[in-house]
Amino acid sequence: MLKKLILMLCLLGLAAPSLAIDNDPQQFADPIAEARYKELIKELRCMVCPNQPLSDSEASLAQDLRSEVRHLVLQGDSNTEIKGFLVQRYGESVLYRPPVESKTFLLWFGPAVLLFIAFLTLLYFIRRQARTVTTADTALSEAEQEKLQQVLNQHPQ
Amino acid sequence: MLRAILPLAIFAVLSVFLYIGLQLDPNEKESTLIDKAAPAFNAPQLEDSTKVLNEQAFQGKVSLFNAWASWCVTCRYEHPLLMQLAQQTDIPIYGLNYKDKAADALKVLQRQGNPYIANAFDQNGRIGMDWGVIGTPETFVVDQNGVVRYKHVGPLTVEVLQETVLPLIKRLRETPNANANAANDQPPA
């Protein structure tokens, strides 16, 4: 019983990180605004630890930026305006989903182009393979036919 | 023949890309401020909170604007170089005391010397946010028209000063009338 209790208490410790990382966030009265805020901080990069979105980062700058985004959402700024605010300060790399423009074409469409090239290559090899298999020289010559018959005759079933 | 050369060619192309990739620093981020007017701010001075420091201070001379904090170990490492700059050159250095406690910051300046003409006391980091500060130390070169010309992320070193910052300051000083509009014609690097 005691062991179970201790185990439960230990497991409870594991849940600690799931607590909000912001100490004293200003609450949202409007659930739509809250959803918008949560969506935004998932799409914005924490510049201190570039592989984390703002929503996951405990860096002090991320905390500041979260509260700034929260403030702007509460103030009624549109998503475009809020992203603009951050891009103006930290550059486009703050966006996890960069806008489609001439300098990001490669980023957006490069993988699809590579996949297409890979597909064409695959097609080329499959075709070539098919051609070599169906060519006549895979058929047995007369001599080979004879030999085959001989062998078959030697071992009747 | 193709069968032998093709994989080799692909490998060669890949190697070139990977080699270029090795030289790139993924942490190097472009500053969006280059060739733009210094973001406005209005902050109490660290040394005397009854006085304010704002971006007007940069007018009329090429200055350095150095973001630092007492909790920042790298800043302490950079500090002696700033002291040397302040003592041996006439380049004005302004500080952005970023997310710091005034008492701690003043203690550092007392112990290590004060290279700054004045410090903007940015307690909650809001000014730093407007300047796109990601982590201290960061140093901006602001020209005599109040236009940001360069940003160095990380501690200043002798190499950075000799190869980039000092030549840039010299050039900016020699062309006092290269105004912000002329700079804006060129795409930011």
Side-chain angles (χ1 to χ4, degrees), chain A residues 2 8 16 25 34 41 44 71 79 86 88 90-91 94 98 102 104 107 121 129 131-132 134 138 145 148:
Chain A
L2 187 66
M8 269 164 72
E34 184 166 3
I41 59 172
L44 295 166
H71 169 75
N79 287 8
L86 284 144
Q88 195 195 339
Y90 302 101
V94 78
S102 58
T104 57
L107 191 64
T121 315
Q129 192 80 10
R131 219 170 17 214
T132 49
T134 52
T138 52
Q145 275 295 352
L148 179 67

Side-chain angles (χ1 to χ4, degrees), chain A residues 45 47-48 50 60-61 63-65 67-68 85 87-93 103 121 124-125 128, chain B residues 2-3 6 26-27 29-33 98-99 124-126 128-135 151:
Chain A
R45 191 188 303 275
M47 298 308 279
V48 182
S60 120
L61 179 64
Q63 286 172 20
D64 291 351
L65 288 175
S67 75
E68 192 63 35
F85 174 91
V87 168
Q88 195 195 339
R89 285 161 179 77
Y90 302 101
E92 257 160 18
S93 56
K103 75 174 175 195
T121 315
Y124 168 75
F125 279 112
R128 208 175 63 168
Chain B
L2 185 72
R3 190 177 280 257
L6 196 65
N27 287 321
K29 297 180 191 87
E30 78 279 33
S31 172
T32 54
L33 282 179
Y98 180 72
K99 298 188 77 163
N124 56 14
R126 195 55 186 73
M129 199 184 282
D130 283 342
W131 281 73
V133 171
I134 291 163
K151 173 187 179 179

Side-chain angles (χ1 to χ4, degrees), chain A residues 88-89, chain B residues 30-41 55 58-59 61-66 127 130-133 138-152 168-169 172 178-184 186-189:
Chain A
Q88 195 195 339
R89 285 161 179 77
Chain B
E30 78 279 33
S31 172
T32 54
L33 282 179
I34 305 301
D35 292 340
K36 296 213 177 89
F41 63 92
E55 78 286 352
F58 302 132
Q59 291 292 334
K61 65 229 176 206
V62 183
S63 12
L64 290 179
F65 191 40
N66 173 251
I127 299 172
D130 283 342
W131 281 73
V133 171
E138 287 183 15
T139 306
F140 298 85
V141 177
V142 186
D143 76 7
Q144 54 274 68
N145 300 304
V147 175
V148 178
R149 294 302 188 151
Y150 182 73
K151 173 187 179 179
H152 178 76
L168 175 68
I169 290 175
L172 290 171
N179 60 27
N181 294 332
N184 283 341
Q186 298 157 8

Side-chain angles (χ1 to χ4, degrees), chain B residues 1-14:
Chain B
M1 193 57 191
L2 185 72
R3 190 177 280 257
I5 287 180
L6 196 65
L8 201 67
I10 293 175
F11 175 73
V13 171
L14 206 64

Side-chain angles (χ1 to χ4, degrees), chain A residues 14-25:
Chain A
L14 289 177
S18 70
L19 295 173
I21 37 185
D22 290 317
N23 310 331
D24 186 22

